[in-house]
Amino acid sequence: MSDGSDLHLQELRRGTVVLACVTLLRRPGYGYGLLEQLADRGFATDANTLYPLLRRLEKQGFLRSEWDTAESRPRKFYRTSDEGMRLAEDMTREWRALSRAIGSLDQEGT
């Protein structure tokens, strides 16, 4: 694909990763595990994108975090907050509406 197409595809994916994170983190998880879950579900994301996103979502109040120090190496676990749950519901509702709208465009072309 051309550079212009890549840029637009990247913009489209950016919001879907936010939705995927707040949805998957309804069950507590840590960054590396979340990277694997995202990849397994088709949301290829690198650590340099994910970790700043997690910090931003936490700062915005959509995620909560806590440190697990039970193991030899402490790990920061994230969980979707109540506000994050509402965000996930709103984004899912909007995604479905947009998907229907795009589907109607396909039907008009035939």
Side-chain angles (χ1 to χ4, degrees):
M1 283 190 210
S2 72
D3 289 338
S5 295
D6 289 345
L7 178 63
H8 290 293
L9 289 173
Q10 182 181 17
E11 287 179 20
L12 180 62
R13 289 184 188 115
R14 190 171 288 133
T16 62
V17 172
V18 169
L19 175 56
C21 287
V22 294
T23 300
L24 288 171
L25 289 172
R26 289 176 178 173
R27 300 175 105 178
Y30 60 100
Y32 184 77
L34 182 60
L35 276 172
E36 291 178 332
Q37 289 179 25
L38 290 168
D40 290 346
R41 289 169 172 82
F43 295 92
T45 307
D46 66 23
N48 292 328
T49 299
L50 182 64
Y51 289 105
L53 173 64
L54 293 174
R55 287 190 296 273
R56 180 172 53 87
L57 291 172
E58 181 179 20
K59 186 176 180 181
Q60 293 170 334
F62 299 120
L63 296 178
R64 301 281 179 244
S65 70
E66 61 185 57
W67 285 96
D68 178 6
T69 57
E71 296 181 23
S72 61
R73 186 171 153 219
R75 295 192 294 184
K76 190 173 188 179
F77 277 77
Y78 292 91
R79 176 190 291 265
T80 304
S81 67
D82 290 342
E83 191 174 342
M85 297 281 198
R86 286 188 293 278
L87 175 66
E89 291 168 6
D90 291 346
M91 290 182 78
T92 299
R93 188 173 32 260
E94 184 67 16
W95 178 264
R96 289 183 179 144
L98 288 169
S99 182
R100 284 190 300 274
I102 290 170
S104 75
L105 294 174
D106 288 343
Q107 292 173 358
E108 288 178 14
T110 58

